[in-house]
Amino acid sequence: MPARNQSTCPNLHVNPPSRENTSGLSLQIPCPPSPTAASLGGDTLRSRANSYVSYTSAADTLRSRTNSDVKDSPNICDGIEDVTAEEALRPDTRNGKDFEVAENPFAFSPGQLNKLLNPKSLPAFKALGGIRGIERGLQTSLSSGLSVDETAVSRCVTFNEATLITKETTISLPSQRAIVDGTHGSQFQDRLRVYTDNRLPKKNSLSIWKLFWGAYNDRILFLLTIAAGVSLALGIYESVGQQRAPGEPQPVDWVEGLAILIAIMIIVLVTGLNDYRREKQFVKLNEKKEDRQVKAIRSGRTVEISVFDVLVGEVLHLESGDSIPADGLLITGYGVRCDESSATGESDAMRKTGGEEVMSHINKGGAMPKLDPFIISGSKVLEGAGTFLVTSVGVNSSYGKIMMSLQTDNEDTPLQVKLAGMANWIGYLGSAAAGLLFLVLLIRFLAGLAGNNTSAAMKGSAFMDILIVAITIIVVAVPEGLPLAVTLALSYATKRMLKENNLVRHLRACETMGNATTICSDKTGTLTQNQMTVVAGTLGTGTEFARSDSSNVGNGNIHTVGELFATTSSPVKDLLMKSISINSTAFEGQQDGEIRFIGSKTETALLVMAREHLGMRSVAEERADVKLVQLFPFDSARKCMGAVIRLPQGGYRLLVKGAAELMLEECTSELDLASTLLSQPLAESARRHAFEKITEYAQQSLRTIAFVYRDFQQWPPHAFQVSNEEAKHTLTIDDVLSEMTFIGLVGIQDPLREGVSHSVKRCQDAGVTVRMVTGDNLITATAIAIQCGIKTPQGLSMEGPKFRTLSDPELNEILPRLQVLARSSPEDKRILVTKLKDLGETVAVTGDGTNDGPALKAADIGFSMGLSGTEVAKEASAIILMDDNFSSIVRAIMWGRSVNDAVSKFLQFQITVNITAVVLAFVSAVSSPESHSVLSAVQLLWVNLIMDTFAALALATDAPTEGILDRKPSPKRANLITTNMWKMIVGQAAYQLVVTFTLYFAGPRILGYDVAHNNELQTKLNTIVFNTFVWMQIFNEFNSRRLDNKFNIFEGVHRNVFFIIINMIMIGGQIMIIFVGGKAFQITRIDSTQWAICILCSLPCLLWSVVLRCIPDKYAEVVFTAAHRTWLVLYRPVIKVLSLLWRPIGVAGRAIKRVSKRALTKVKRGGKAQASDSVQVDEEALPHGFASYPPISSTTPLPDLQPKLEREKEQNQKQESRQQQSPQFNLPPIILTTVE
């Protein structure tokens, strides 16, 4: 309601609430007469989502808003006059706070403005005084926008002042824009206080404590914590509660339990901090992803501002391809149609009408078409151009409310899902090994109890040692670092890619881009610099001009630009100047402190020529002097745009510019330069000469643009019997583009980007095919493709009109050789992308226009242009090229491959450690008389920290090198582990096991240690084994930096600061553990000789990797294939036997579950039956016609659905049983891919 706006304005008349009005205070607003319901024709008066307007009964119910209160209106007449201002602006129950604003200097509260939308409401629009009333209430200007000097608003506008002003009194009002006080306060402080800015509250990210809990929230860590706590308690009991013999040292078994708990705390701390850092990186990336520039009018000048800085009362520009940042009302527009499917569910393009036109129709009454001035945030502008007034931003806007309810976490990428599955398999195998170890040691423990004379506490401690070792092996075996590795690699890559002008919108694009096999690239701005200059052209078909530095100047009929236009008549120059300045969407704005043209680079190049040689004033002045009747936005199918202006002497003129050869085909006459805008028939020789000139310019890689016009006596033309307003919405440029007069054409130069030829060559060397898809003509496109190196002698060039007529077999035949697609439409691009994907290609495509959205969505990786792309294209893409540069695509390929390589490196390293640690712990524990593993639980946790966290950080942060492009892309279904990786994993694990087993079993004899009679020497030997094992992992981490068969494992290591720091931490930590670990790690200090033994035994793993890389992959593939088949032969019978053993248990369990479920169902049904007996039906309270039916009671027969449900359950169980009898086992992926 209006009165909910708690303003301090003295002239706001507020009535107290009455019994009839219980919703709050009310304003007595006399509403002027309104037209009938029929005159408003349409759905704009009807609410969406189960609300409607009925006109057939005096007691009809009118619902003005989804979920709003329903009120009977028996005394209200039909039509818009039925809806009072109070009804139209009534607060919703849930959003009452939006209507209450303290010290509001504006006429309207955010809640009242929200009443315009969701659903769209013309009654609310009328109640607020139409667009002019909203302009006054918001203290802004429809023509000049907000004032850049506004700070605190010192003038208060009441609801009455804003809404009840007649046309006669409008001119006597003070300035409509806010009166400001620039002496104090920040810019727009009152406007921001009342309406907020265009930001949504940040999603509550997980706190550091929740991340710590997430790192600890693992069943295995819980078990290990419990076991360590029990071990600590038993150890303390042994030390304190047990009596010791004189001279017996005090036991320190409690140290191991305490050390395990501390190790768990360290693991949780490091993992949580790592996750916290990753979350912060993604938050920064999302903020950058959501920010963009929009065109606003402030103080009468068009400026670019951040979308976050859009305010209520702002006047924004609309263009085809824009994503609307805020709710508002259309001020003026030409053929504006919006896709509101994401906001309202409407699949049809919604035609928009200017606010003043809508209010005029409402005031006049009578029949009229559907009216829709409402601009909804989150919708897309499909076509047209105009300006709109912002009424709601941020959390108050339609899109903001939707986004607040849809804030979700990032989804896992395909690689993360695949790695999680592999981690589960590795964990299962490790858990099986740990279970087998526990079973073996438990049997030995139980067998030795008879001869064990130690105390109960000692026996309990021995059992806990067995349990702890088994659980710790599971902790080590479960590779929780695999998903972490890919997450770290993705976060690091996206951060670095942003610095290299690639803004990643979808993380999966990083993974996919590394495997791209073809790139369909635009020409303008991507392969070229997008710095366009007019260098040549013709006036008419015979007079040519060129730049003064051109070698052609002075040859025959070729003049410099200045010379030609200095001698050209004023009417001809004026015609050409208006064709450039009026028929354009570019504007003058401020960039880097300078006044420049902002918009399409083609249009800005033409505007520069008009300013320098045609005497053009500022664009705003030129447009203000002309009455623009209609604007035809750029048509991607016809490759042109047009504008209709009213001539001072009467009549109308259609100005069109577009692709030169297409425009020339529509011309029947040309301009007579010797006269005052007289035309003469276009002779065939002149037409042929013009086509030759177009071809000549195209061969010089120039973009050719032609200017044509046609005069009309009236608009719309006689052939179209529609009104002038309807013509704005129904006429297309196709309808009037005929019998045109040729003015001239220009050739625009757009030089190639520096290094683009090298980038194309690097792509081709990397196995990535580059194709050019452009709207330019075939000759220009082919010439530039040859310069770039895209077009080869064996390649094909084709135009879009021919391409789209080919059959599927013909497309499959020519696509492998197609390199240039010219004069292509967005649909041609989509067809090209789809067919390439059908052929098994991984396709990356670039796009900048609204109509490129389907192609960007269809591609595996869509690249949109950050500088020249529309918002629709950006939202449809996966990566935004911030500099529109093809070289940035090459960098994206390198980073994509780097992400995949980082995961493969970590996988190779971790599986090696897994195999070695689990086998070493298993064998040493089984072989030890005391059932002690050579690697204690605390030592294994340290190894787990190295393996899962430190290695993930070190290996996931390697930047890509140029050599990463020297190999072909991986197929779509390529597995994670290649033959080369298996070779290194198995080879390094074998070497490490040989070394550690030799030291453990043969060490006493080699080193002369009498471990049987000296426990201290056994501890020293165990320390040597542990130290050697850890150092082998450190050296093997360097081996894992290469995935191919090249020897230089140190390439680029000095550029990876993370790798160096992490390895320094691991080395320092290991040295400190050896010197001060003591009882906690169950080790002792070793001397320099023993240190030398450790290093000399572990260092050769670097040389061993050289030997492994010398083994040809094809021989290794034969060995691993045979091993894989042998594994399957042994694996399948074992699984079948296990399934037979477990089947009776499973059947019994399901039977028990089924019986218990049936019993529970009967109990519930019995309770319901008792409840139904107590139900009494009041027939008089039933609606008319219901009393004739028999009452529902417990005796009423109801259909028994239980047997049917039971039958369906039994059928499902039989089907499950059959599936279990012939199970299909998904084996872990063992990939045998030869890496050349």
Side-chain angles (χ1 to χ4, degrees), residues 974-997:
N975 293 296
L976 293 173
I977 308 178
T978 64
T979 299
N980 184 272
M981 291 172 62
W982 275 119
K983 182 176 64 177
M984 298 301 296
I985 290 169
V986 175
Q988 286 292 340
Y991 173 80
Q992 293 179 16
L993 288 173
V994 168
V995 170
T996 51
F997 283 155

mmCIF file of all heavy atoms in Angstrom, residues 974-997:
data_model
loop_
_atom_site.group_PDB
_atom_site.id
_atom_site.type_symbol
_atom_site.label_atom_id
_atom_site.label_comp_id
_atom_site.label_asym_id
_atom_site.label_seq_id
_atom_site.Cartn_x
_atom_site.Cartn_y
_atom_site.Cartn_z
ATOM 1 N N ALA A 974 39.142 -41.995 -23.320
ATOM 2 C CA ALA A 974 40.445 -42.487 -22.869
ATOM 3 C C ALA A 974 40.425 -42.671 -21.356
ATOM 4 O O ALA A 974 39.830 -41.883 -20.621
ATOM 5 C CB ALA A 974 41.544 -41.515 -23.266
ATOM 6 N N ASN A 975 41.078 -43.712 -20.886
ATOM 7 C CA ASN A 975 41.126 -43.985 -19.457
ATOM 8 C C ASN A 975 42.240 -43.191 -18.799
ATOM 9 O O ASN A 975 43.096 -42.609 -19.461
ATOM 10 C CB ASN A 975 41.317 -45.479 -19.226
ATOM 11 C CG ASN A 975 40.101 -46.271 -19.663
ATOM 12 O OD1 ASN A 975 39.026 -46.126 -19.117
ATOM 13 N ND2 ASN A 975 40.274 -47.123 -20.662
ATOM 14 N N LEU A 976 42.218 -43.213 -17.506
ATOM 15 C CA LEU A 976 43.111 -42.351 -16.749
ATOM 16 C C LEU A 976 44.546 -42.873 -16.701
ATOM 17 O O LEU A 976 45.482 -42.090 -16.650
ATOM 18 C CB LEU A 976 42.584 -42.201 -15.316
ATOM 19 C CG LEU A 976 41.259 -41.435 -15.176
ATOM 20 C CD1 LEU A 976 40.771 -41.508 -13.743
ATOM 21 C CD2 LEU A 976 41.448 -39.994 -15.592
ATOM 22 N N ILE A 977 44.715 -44.201 -16.688
ATOM 23 C CA ILE A 977 46.053 -44.769 -16.514
ATOM 24 C C ILE A 977 46.513 -45.345 -17.849
ATOM 25 O O ILE A 977 45.907 -46.277 -18.375
ATOM 26 C CB ILE A 977 46.057 -45.868 -15.437
ATOM 27 C CG1 ILE A 977 45.416 -45.336 -14.150
ATOM 28 C CG2 ILE A 977 47.467 -46.340 -15.160
ATOM 29 C CD1 ILE A 977 45.341 -46.360 -13.046
ATOM 30 N N THR A 978 47.572 -44.810 -18.376
ATOM 31 C CA THR A 978 48.116 -45.270 -19.648
ATOM 32 C C THR A 978 49.123 -46.394 -19.416
ATOM 33 O O THR A 978 49.513 -46.685 -18.280
ATOM 34 C CB THR A 978 48.805 -44.112 -20.386
ATOM 35 O OG1 THR A 978 49.924 -43.674 -19.610
ATOM 36 C CG2 THR A 978 47.851 -42.954 -20.600
ATOM 37 N N THR A 979 49.543 -47.006 -20.518
ATOM 38 C CA THR A 979 50.555 -48.063 -20.419
ATOM 39 C C THR A 979 51.834 -47.536 -19.797
ATOM 40 O O THR A 979 52.467 -48.193 -18.953
ATOM 41 C CB THR A 979 50.849 -48.623 -21.819
ATOM 42 O OG1 THR A 979 49.647 -49.167 -22.355
ATOM 43 C CG2 THR A 979 51.914 -49.702 -21.764
ATOM 44 N N ASN A 980 52.224 -46.330 -20.178
ATOM 45 C CA ASN A 980 53.441 -45.746 -19.621
ATOM 46 C C ASN A 980 53.311 -45.546 -18.118
ATOM 47 O O ASN A 980 54.264 -45.789 -17.354
ATOM 48 C CB ASN A 980 53.735 -44.414 -20.325
ATOM 49 C CG ASN A 980 55.030 -43.802 -19.876
ATOM 50 O OD1 ASN A 980 55.068 -43.066 -18.895
ATOM 51 N ND2 ASN A 980 56.103 -44.107 -20.585
ATOM 52 N N MET A 981 52.132 -45.128 -17.675
ATOM 53 C CA MET A 981 51.924 -44.942 -16.237
ATOM 54 C C MET A 981 51.974 -46.280 -15.495
ATOM 55 O O MET A 981 52.592 -46.385 -14.428
ATOM 56 C CB MET A 981 50.584 -44.244 -15.997
ATOM 57 C CG MET A 981 50.551 -42.789 -16.448
ATOM 58 S SD MET A 981 48.897 -42.068 -16.352
ATOM 59 C CE MET A 981 48.568 -42.200 -14.596
ATOM 60 N N TRP A 982 51.337 -47.314 -16.050
ATOM 61 C CA TRP A 982 51.398 -48.636 -15.416
ATOM 62 C C TRP A 982 52.843 -49.126 -15.337
ATOM 63 O O TRP A 982 53.258 -49.747 -14.348
ATOM 64 C CB TRP A 982 50.557 -49.641 -16.194
ATOM 65 C CG TRP A 982 49.106 -49.650 -15.815
ATOM 66 C CD1 TRP A 982 48.049 -49.377 -16.613
ATOM 67 C CD2 TRP A 982 48.570 -49.959 -14.530
ATOM 68 N NE1 TRP A 982 46.883 -49.481 -15.909
ATOM 69 C CE2 TRP A 982 47.168 -49.852 -14.618
ATOM 70 C CE3 TRP A 982 49.138 -50.320 -13.309
ATOM 71 C CZ2 TRP A 982 46.329 -50.088 -13.546
ATOM 72 C CZ3 TRP A 982 48.300 -50.557 -12.223
ATOM 73 C CH2 TRP A 982 46.912 -50.433 -12.350
ATOM 74 N N LYS A 983 53.588 -48.851 -16.383
ATOM 75 C CA LYS A 983 54.991 -49.268 -16.409
ATOM 76 C C LYS A 983 55.759 -48.622 -15.256
ATOM 77 O O LYS A 983 56.539 -49.296 -14.551
ATOM 78 C CB LYS A 983 55.595 -48.888 -17.762
ATOM 79 C CG LYS A 983 57.042 -49.313 -17.956
ATOM 80 C CD LYS A 983 57.496 -48.970 -19.379
ATOM 81 C CE LYS A 983 57.498 -47.472 -19.626
ATOM 82 N NZ LYS A 983 57.996 -47.118 -20.971
ATOM 83 N N MET A 984 55.559 -47.310 -15.040
ATOM 84 C CA MET A 984 56.254 -46.608 -13.971
ATOM 85 C C MET A 984 55.727 -47.041 -12.603
ATOM 86 O O MET A 984 56.508 -47.194 -11.641
ATOM 87 C CB MET A 984 56.095 -45.104 -14.147
ATOM 88 C CG MET A 984 56.687 -44.550 -15.435
ATOM 89 S SD MET A 984 58.462 -44.876 -15.590
ATOM 90 C CE MET A 984 59.091 -43.937 -14.215
ATOM 91 N N ILE A 985 54.419 -47.247 -12.475
ATOM 92 C CA ILE A 985 53.841 -47.637 -11.182
ATOM 93 C C ILE A 985 54.381 -49.000 -10.744
ATOM 94 O O ILE A 985 54.896 -49.167 -9.627
ATOM 95 C CB ILE A 985 52.298 -47.666 -11.274
ATOM 96 C CG1 ILE A 985 51.742 -46.241 -11.406
ATOM 97 C CG2 ILE A 985 51.693 -48.359 -10.056
ATOM 98 C CD1 ILE A 985 50.272 -46.189 -11.765
ATOM 99 N N VAL A 986 54.246 -49.982 -11.621
ATOM 100 C CA VAL A 986 54.677 -51.337 -11.277
ATOM 101 C C VAL A 986 56.195 -51.380 -11.101
ATOM 102 O O VAL A 986 56.716 -52.010 -10.155
ATOM 103 C CB VAL A 986 54.219 -52.340 -12.347
ATOM 104 C CG1 VAL A 986 54.765 -53.730 -12.065
ATOM 105 C CG2 VAL A 986 52.695 -52.368 -12.422
ATOM 106 N N GLY A 987 56.934 -50.715 -11.987
ATOM 107 C CA GLY A 987 58.396 -50.735 -11.911
ATOM 108 C C GLY A 987 58.904 -50.087 -10.641
ATOM 109 O O GLY A 987 59.775 -50.651 -9.936
ATOM 110 N N GLN A 988 58.381 -48.893 -10.281
ATOM 111 C CA GLN A 988 58.846 -48.215 -9.071
ATOM 112 C C GLN A 988 58.404 -48.955 -7.806
ATOM 113 O O GLN A 988 59.178 -49.038 -6.837
ATOM 114 C CB GLN A 988 58.303 -46.772 -9.046
ATOM 115 C CG GLN A 988 58.975 -45.829 -10.020
ATOM 116 C CD GLN A 988 60.420 -45.540 -9.652
ATOM 117 O OE1 GLN A 988 60.852 -45.721 -8.516
ATOM 118 N NE2 GLN A 988 61.197 -45.111 -10.634
ATOM 119 N N ALA A 989 57.186 -49.500 -7.809
ATOM 120 C CA ALA A 989 56.749 -50.257 -6.640
ATOM 121 C C ALA A 989 57.616 -51.491 -6.433
ATOM 122 O O ALA A 989 57.983 -51.836 -5.286
ATOM 123 C CB ALA A 989 55.277 -50.665 -6.803
ATOM 124 N N ALA A 990 57.988 -52.160 -7.527
ATOM 125 C CA ALA A 990 58.848 -53.338 -7.420
ATOM 126 C C ALA A 990 60.213 -52.954 -6.859
ATOM 127 O O ALA A 990 60.757 -53.642 -5.970
ATOM 128 C CB ALA A 990 58.998 -54.001 -8.787
ATOM 129 N N TYR A 991 60.789 -51.846 -7.357
ATOM 130 C CA TYR A 991 62.099 -51.412 -6.850
ATOM 131 C C TYR A 991 62.024 -51.091 -5.353
ATOM 132 O O TYR A 991 62.891 -51.515 -4.562
ATOM 133 C CB TYR A 991 62.573 -50.183 -7.616
ATOM 134 C CG TYR A 991 63.837 -49.579 -7.050
ATOM 135 C CD1 TYR A 991 65.089 -50.129 -7.345
ATOM 136 C CD2 TYR A 991 63.781 -48.484 -6.189
ATOM 137 C CE1 TYR A 991 66.252 -49.578 -6.797
ATOM 138 C CE2 TYR A 991 64.923 -47.944 -5.638
ATOM 139 C CZ TYR A 991 66.159 -48.496 -5.945
ATOM 140 O OH TYR A 991 67.306 -47.977 -5.400
ATOM 141 N N GLN A 992 61.003 -50.354 -4.938
ATOM 142 C CA GLN A 992 60.895 -49.958 -3.537
ATOM 143 C C GLN A 992 60.686 -51.162 -2.631
ATOM 144 O O GLN A 992 61.251 -51.226 -1.522
ATOM 145 C CB GLN A 992 59.750 -48.946 -3.377
ATOM 146 C CG GLN A 992 60.006 -47.609 -4.053
ATOM 147 C CD GLN A 992 58.853 -46.638 -3.896
ATOM 148 O OE1 GLN A 992 57.992 -46.828 -3.046
ATOM 149 N NE2 GLN A 992 58.819 -45.592 -4.717
ATOM 150 N N LEU A 993 59.908 -52.117 -3.079
ATOM 151 C CA LEU A 993 59.690 -53.312 -2.251
ATOM 152 C C LEU A 993 60.962 -54.145 -2.144
ATOM 153 O O LEU A 993 61.281 -54.675 -1.064
ATOM 154 C CB LEU A 993 58.545 -54.147 -2.834
ATOM 155 C CG LEU A 993 57.140 -53.562 -2.659
ATOM 156 C CD1 LEU A 993 56.112 -54.389 -3.422
ATOM 157 C CD2 LEU A 993 56.765 -53.497 -1.176
ATOM 158 N N VAL A 994 61.698 -54.249 -3.239
ATOM 159 C CA VAL A 994 62.953 -55.001 -3.192
ATOM 160 C C VAL A 994 63.920 -54.365 -2.205
ATOM 161 O O VAL A 994 64.551 -55.046 -1.369
ATOM 162 C CB VAL A 994 63.572 -55.097 -4.601
ATOM 163 C CG1 VAL A 994 65.016 -55.602 -4.515
ATOM 164 C CG2 VAL A 994 62.745 -56.004 -5.493
ATOM 165 N N VAL A 995 64.037 -53.034 -2.249
ATOM 166 C CA VAL A 995 64.971 -52.335 -1.363
ATOM 167 C C VAL A 995 64.542 -52.478 0.090
ATOM 168 O O VAL A 995 65.353 -52.816 0.982
ATOM 169 C CB VAL A 995 65.082 -50.854 -1.767
ATOM 170 C CG1 VAL A 995 65.865 -50.070 -0.711
ATOM 171 C CG2 VAL A 995 65.755 -50.717 -3.115
ATOM 172 N N THR A 996 63.261 -52.212 0.375
ATOM 173 C CA THR A 996 62.808 -52.262 1.772
ATOM 174 C C THR A 996 62.824 -53.681 2.326
ATOM 175 O O THR A 996 63.202 -53.897 3.497
ATOM 176 C CB THR A 996 61.384 -51.673 1.883
ATOM 177 O OG1 THR A 996 60.534 -52.296 0.910
ATOM 178 C CG2 THR A 996 61.402 -50.180 1.657
ATOM 179 N N PHE A 997 62.445 -54.666 1.541
ATOM 180 C CA PHE A 997 62.499 -56.047 2.024
ATOM 181 C C PHE A 997 63.945 -56.486 2.259
ATOM 182 O O PHE A 997 64.254 -57.211 3.214
ATOM 183 C CB PHE A 997 61.827 -56.989 1.024
ATOM 184 C CG PHE A 997 60.321 -56.945 1.084
ATOM 185 C CD1 PHE A 997 59.567 -57.298 -0.023
ATOM 186 C CD2 PHE A 997 59.663 -56.553 2.242
ATOM 187 C CE1 PHE A 997 58.183 -57.264 0.019
ATOM 188 C CE2 PHE A 997 58.286 -56.518 2.293
ATOM 189 C CZ PHE A 997 57.527 -56.868 1.183
#
